[in-house]
Amino acid sequence: MASFKEKTRLFSTLLDPSPQPRQMNTTKRRYRRSKTIPANLHLLRTKDNMTLPSQSVLGKLHPSLKQVVLLLAFYLTAGAICFSFTNKQIKGKKTNGILDSVYFCIVTMTTVGYGDLVPNSVATKLLACAFVFLGMALVALTLSKAADYLVEKQEMLFVKTLHIHQNFGATDILKKIESNKVKYKLFMVLIFLILLIIAGTIFLSEIENLSLVDSFYCVCATITTLGYGDKSFSTKAGRIFAVFWILTSTISLALCFLYLAELNTQHRQQELAKWVLTRRMTNVDLEVADLDEDGVVSAAEFIVYKLKEMGKISQEDIVAVMEEFEDLDVNQNGTLSPSDITLAQS
Amino acid sequence: MASFKEKTRLFSTLLDPSPQPRQMNTTKRRYRRSKTIPANLHLLRTKDNMTLPSQSVLGKLHPSLKQVVLLLAFYLTAGAICFSFTNKQIKGKKTNGILDSVYFCIVTMTTVGYGDLVPNSVATKLLACAFVFLGMALVALTLSKAADYLVEKQEMLFVKTLHIHQNFGATDILKKIESNKVKYKLFMVLIFLILLIIAGTIFLSEIENLSLVDSFYCVCATITTLGYGDKSFSTKAGRIFAVFWILTSTISLALCFLYLAELNTQHRQQELAKWVLTRRMTNVDLEVADLDEDGVVSAAEFIVYKLKEMGKISQEDIVAVMEEFEDLDVNQNGTLSPSDITLAQS
């Protein structure tokens, strides 16, 4: 969620590279309503990101798309080698040594587990146990990367749309797309999934000679990772197709569930935000919101108070930032000015 | 995530019911560093929550634990009835009509799909397709409820711990537990999962007469929802055990993965927050952070700026709250006072 939010922020900075306030023209009163981080600072940030400590510390826990693909390739190669060597200790319908091993790995890592090929010795059974856990972690990683990738694609689409409609209230269009972001993503993945279901059904009925109902039943049993195994891919061509199709379709269905959950969360957040915003303010609220105790509530104090009520920011966040503020506020007058910064950093 | 954060906030309010600032004693300078919402307001909120619009609008999408249990019961009853009537169209190793139907439903909804019982007619095949999709959604719902439930349990543990150590710096202990919350939850679920694995292995070797390796292999194939089906529950006693054990153990493993992901996200957020907080402030930063353009940056403005940089709050959040602020600021002097509130709401 954080990386998503951060991306949204970076994206909005990208769209608005000028240090001028974006919505100056719509400001009713004397406020700069929405200041974004200026362009030079944004560049500095993205450059610095390369050496950001979290990147190096957590490189292994947050690998790039390239690293995930490499990991997948490594997993499948290792699986192909392991199960090729123990080929005789696996029973079931076989086609080709290496192909069967890769197919077995895919069926195992996605937890489809048809059972058309099963380990038949202590060694292969324990090996399968290890491969299913490692594979599950890898599938989860691939899933999160696929979700990230779709967010980036979505953002490129935004920029294009914005570019086309530059003259017709770009911010309004942006706002509309932004608020329907998850819906669009869900729609995209659903279309893709339906195409995969159709392709799988046609393939199974044509190549594996199943009836249409059996094909559809096998497709449903596969994409949900149910895998009863009474119908599965038993020909050489079928298993080559299966290696690619199973991974793509199971991940697509998982993505659908993920986006549905995100949509639900987003909807609930919006309802809560609306409720918090329209709730009547009382004098007690005012007193609590008045962070610097000067008797009035400034715009920034109001923002902090309301966002805390919405649960967007926590007490811990505020305490951490306040500590930094107090370190910078050298003359202790409760505000930061250029002279404070110079003194604090010298 | 939002509901989690909100709970954390409500929880901290619960621990600190006085309207006085919680960390007054540790404040270095003239700030109330951490104001929490006063007790009366908190009570008002929880009472209002009952009639919160989001609750009624989204009741179906965000059901209570009781509703989830009811849904589960309804699903299993419907499944038992459907598959009892079509008992002859299901082939495989059978024990008892109703028991087999419930067992088949559990094996299907968790996507374990051993294949020891498989639909054998067009009607039952299509019924199984419908049941697996509905079941997956239900399992996902149960999973999210289980996660929520654990958060609540965890919070009760906090209160107890805090109560015991009241005299030895309660806030420090709270801070320590709070920052390791996800780790504790992961630890709890891991212990529970290991117990389930041991119980499953012993049961399979004792009741189903499998070797120890086969039992462990069947346990691994089940909790990961792999379900090759070469080893499964084939006795009456085994299937009664399976109905409860499969649902619990698959959800526990999914919870482990969920918490691992949460831990990873949390770690990345903390690294980013640390980096944003310790980054050198420049005069350009000061200018951007100065929301009301009075030439200096107040504490609240600094908080808004830094939390936006961290990606915790977005431009959209700020714009929405500012609109509300401007509506309330009747005299347009850029601050809210009791007279503004009275005027705005009359």
Side-chain angles (χ1 to χ4, degrees):
Chain A
M1 201 52 103
S3 88
F4 171 75
K5 263 196 188 165
E6 202 206 344
K7 263 179 198 148
T8 320
R9 182 174 50 78
L10 284 176
F11 168 66
S12 70
T13 320
L14 195 84
L15 284 174
D16 181 20
S18 68
Q20 264 78 48
R22 180 163 57 167
Q23 298 189 351
M24 195 62 129
N25 51 337
T26 61
T27 307
K28 276 195 286 182
R29 292 166 205 178
R30 51 177 277 275
Y31 276 94
R32 292 209 263 168
R33 272 171 62 178
S34 52
K35 240 174 269 184
T36 45
I37 297 147
N40 56 338
L41 215 148
H42 161 64
L43 290 173
L44 184 125
R45 167 108 37 81
T46 30
K47 239 166 69 193
D48 274 19
N49 258 347
M50 299 299 128
T51 51
L52 211 159
S54 63
Q55 300 300 91
S56 52
V57 173
L58 289 150
K60 271 170 201 158
L61 284 164
H62 189 220
S64 67
L65 185 64
K66 207 172 144 189
Q67 282 171 310
V68 172
V69 172
L70 277 176
L71 274 175
L72 255 177
F74 178 75
Y75 175 89
L76 290 176
T77 313
I81 293 169
C82 284
F83 293 110
S84 288
F85 274 111
T86 54
N87 202 9
K88 278 182 189 127
Q89 296 162 41
I90 289 179
K91 70 172 179 192
K93 198 162 164 42
K94 295 185 186 176
T95 61
N96 168 291
I98 300 264
L99 178 60
D100 285 351
S101 304
V102 175
Y103 170 75
F104 180 72
C105 280
I106 291 280
V107 167
T108 301
M109 77 184 293
T110 55
T111 76
V112 169
Y114 288 126
D116 52 354
L117 289 173
V118 286
N120 200 26
S121 71
V122 172
T124 46
K125 277 173 187 171
L126 294 179
L127 210 57
C129 289
F131 266 84
V132 67
F133 282 109
L134 284 176
M136 271 180 97
L138 202 49
V139 167
L141 212 59
T142 313
L143 186 68
S144 90
K145 272 297 136 193
D148 279 4
Y149 179 76
L150 277 183
V151 171
E152 277 160 33
K153 278 274 162 205
Q154 196 72 20
E155 283 170 3
M156 278 162 62
L157 194 79
F158 286 1
V159 180
K160 270 189 195 156
T161 316
L162 208 74
H163 196 72
I164 296 165
H165 299 276
Q166 204 108 57
N167 303 320
F168 317 95
T171 38
D172 284 345
I173 293 169
L174 177 77
K175 217 171 163 183
K176 206 175 164 187
I177 302 176
E178 185 74 26
S179 65
N180 288 305
K181 205 168 188 169
V182 188
K183 270 185 203 161
Y184 281 115
K185 282 191 289 179
L186 180 63
F187 184 71
M188 267 166 64
V189 177
L190 261 180
I191 295 286
F192 188 60
L193 185 65
I194 289 169
L195 290 178
L196 281 172
I197 289 174
I198 295 171
T201 310
I202 293 173
F203 185 92
L204 279 165
S205 70
E206 292 293 320
I207 308 293
E208 297 277 338
N209 286 321
L210 297 180
S211 76
L212 262 184
V213 170
D214 279 350
S215 300
F216 179 71
Y217 161 72
C218 179
V219 163
C220 286
T222 306
I223 61 171
T224 57
T225 80
L226 181 56
Y228 289 129
D230 50 342
K231 309 284 173 208
S232 63
F233 297 87
S234 54
T235 63
K236 217 166 168 175
R239 288 193 175 173
I240 292 172
F241 175 80
V243 164
F244 299 98
W245 182 81
I246 292 177
L247 198 60
T248 329
S249 57
T250 50
I251 284 181
S252 297
L253 184 66
L255 268 178
C256 280
F257 273 95
L258 207 71
Y259 288 146
L260 268 175
E262 202 179 323
L263 207 62
N264 186 19
T265 307
Q266 203 187 49
H267 199 136
R268 272 162 54 200
Q269 270 179 339
Q270 282 167 354
E271 290 282 328
L272 181 67
K274 211 191 282 170
W275 182 77
V276 166
L277 277 181
T278 54
R279 196 175 62 77
R280 279 178 84 89
M281 285 285 283
T282 63
N283 287 344
V284 182
D285 287 302
L286 272 192
E287 203 202 313
V288 177
D290 183 16
L291 203 70
D292 58 5
E293 295 186 293
D294 62 353
V296 288
V297 173
S298 72
E301 283 171 343
F302 188 73
I303 293 173
V304 170
Y305 180 70
K306 283 288 183 183
L307 293 182
K308 199 184 155 198
E309 267 208 306
M310 285 179 206
K312 296 230 179 203
I313 56 181
S314 68
Q315 193 54 42
E316 285 71 35
D317 296 331
I318 297 175
V319 170
V321 180
M322 280 305 286
E323 272 168 14
E324 177 68 15
F325 180 83
E326 280 166 10
D327 286 343
L328 285 174
D329 184 17
V330 181
N331 65 11
Q332 302 188 27
N333 66 345
T335 55
L336 293 185
S337 57
S339 66
D340 280 315
I341 302 292
T342 316
L343 278 170
Q345 288 173 349
S346 65
Chain B
M1 202 54 108
S3 90
F4 171 75
K5 261 193 189 165
E6 203 206 342
K7 264 181 198 146
T8 319
R9 182 174 50 77
L10 284 178
F11 169 65
S12 69
T13 320
L14 194 84
L15 283 174
D16 181 20
S18 67
Q20 264 75 48
R22 181 164 55 169
Q23 297 189 352
M24 194 62 129
N25 51 337
T26 61
T27 308
K28 275 194 288 181
R29 290 165 207 177
R30 52 177 276 276
Y31 276 94
R32 291 210 262 166
R33 272 171 64 178
S34 51
K35 244 175 268 185
T36 45
I37 297 149
N40 56 338
L41 215 147
H42 160 64
L43 290 173
L44 183 125
R45 169 106 38 79
T46 28
K47 236 165 70 192
D48 274 19
N49 258 346
M50 298 301 126
T51 53
L52 210 159
S54 63
Q55 299 300 91
S56 53
V57 172
L58 289 151
K60 272 170 201 158
L61 283 164
H62 190 219
S64 67
L65 184 64
K66 205 172 147 190
Q67 282 171 308
V68 172
V69 173
L70 277 177
L71 274 175
L72 256 176
F74 179 75
Y75 175 90
L76 290 177
T77 312
I81 293 168
C82 284
F83 293 110
S84 289
F85 275 110
T86 55
N87 201 9
K88 278 183 188 125
Q89 296 162 40
I90 289 179
K91 69 170 180 192
K93 195 158 168 44
K94 294 182 185 174
T95 61
N96 168 292
I98 301 263
L99 177 60
D100 285 352
S101 303
V102 176
Y103 170 75
F104 180 73
C105 280
I106 290 279
V107 168
T108 301
M109 77 184 294
T110 55
T111 78
V112 169
Y114 288 128
D116 51 354
L117 289 173
V118 288
N120 200 27
S121 71
V122 172
T124 47
K125 276 174 188 171
L126 294 179
L127 210 57
C129 289
F131 266 83
V132 66
F133 282 108
L134 283 176
M136 270 180 99
L138 201 49
V139 167
L141 212 59
T142 313
L143 184 68
S144 89
K145 272 299 136 194
D148 279 4
Y149 179 76
L150 277 183
V151 170
E152 277 159 33
K153 278 273 161 207
Q154 197 71 19
E155 283 170 3
M156 277 160 65
L157 195 78
F158 286 0
V159 180
K160 270 190 195 155
T161 315
L162 208 73
H163 196 71
I164 296 164
H165 298 277
Q166 204 109 55
N167 304 320
F168 317 96
T171 38
D172 284 344
I173 293 169
L174 177 75
K175 216 172 165 183
K176 207 174 163 186
I177 302 176
E178 186 73 28
S179 64
N180 287 305
K181 205 168 186 168
V182 188
K183 269 185 205 163
Y184 281 115
K185 282 191 288 179
L186 181 64
F187 184 71
M188 267 165 65
V189 176
L190 261 180
I191 295 286
F192 187 59
L193 185 65
I194 290 169
L195 290 178
L196 281 172
I197 290 175
I198 293 171
T201 310
I202 292 173
F203 186 91
L204 279 165
S205 69
E206 291 294 320
I207 309 293
E208 296 278 337
N209 286 320
L210 298 179
S211 76
L212 262 184
V213 171
D214 279 349
S215 301
F216 179 71
Y217 161 74
C218 180
V219 164
C220 286
T222 306
I223 60 170
T224 57
T225 78
L226 182 56
Y228 289 130
D230 50 343
K231 309 283 172 208
S232 63
F233 297 88
S234 54
T235 64
K236 218 166 167 176
R239 287 192 177 173
I240 293 172
F241 175 79
V243 164
F244 299 98
W245 182 82
I246 291 177
L247 198 61
T248 328
S249 56
T250 50
I251 284 181
S252 297
L253 184 66
L255 268 177
C256 280
F257 273 94
L258 206 74
Y259 288 147
L260 267 176
E262 202 180 324
L263 207 62
N264 185 19
T265 307
Q266 201 187 52
H267 199 136
R268 272 160 56 200
Q269 271 180 339
Q270 282 167 354
E271 290 282 327
L272 181 68
K274 211 191 283 171
W275 182 77
V276 166
L277 277 180
T278 53
R279 197 174 62 77
R280 278 178 86 88
M281 286 285 283
T282 63
N283 287 343
V284 182
D285 287 302
L286 272 193
E287 203 200 315
V288 176
D290 183 16
L291 204 71
D292 59 5
E293 294 184 297
D294 63 353
V296 288
V297 173
S298 72
E301 284 171 342
F302 189 73
I303 292 173
V304 170
Y305 180 70
K306 284 288 184 182
L307 292 183
K308 199 183 156 199
E309 265 207 307
M310 285 178 205
K312 295 229 179 203
I313 56 181
S314 69
Q315 192 56 40
E316 285 71 36
D317 296 331
I318 297 176
V319 170
V321 180
M322 279 305 286
E323 272 167 15
E324 176 68 15
F325 180 83
E326 281 166 9
D327 286 344
L328 285 175
D329 184 18
V330 182
N331 64 11
Q332 300 189 27
N333 67 345
T335 55
L336 294 185
S337 57
S339 65
D340 280 315
I341 302 291
T342 315
L343 279 170
Q345 288 173 350
S346 64

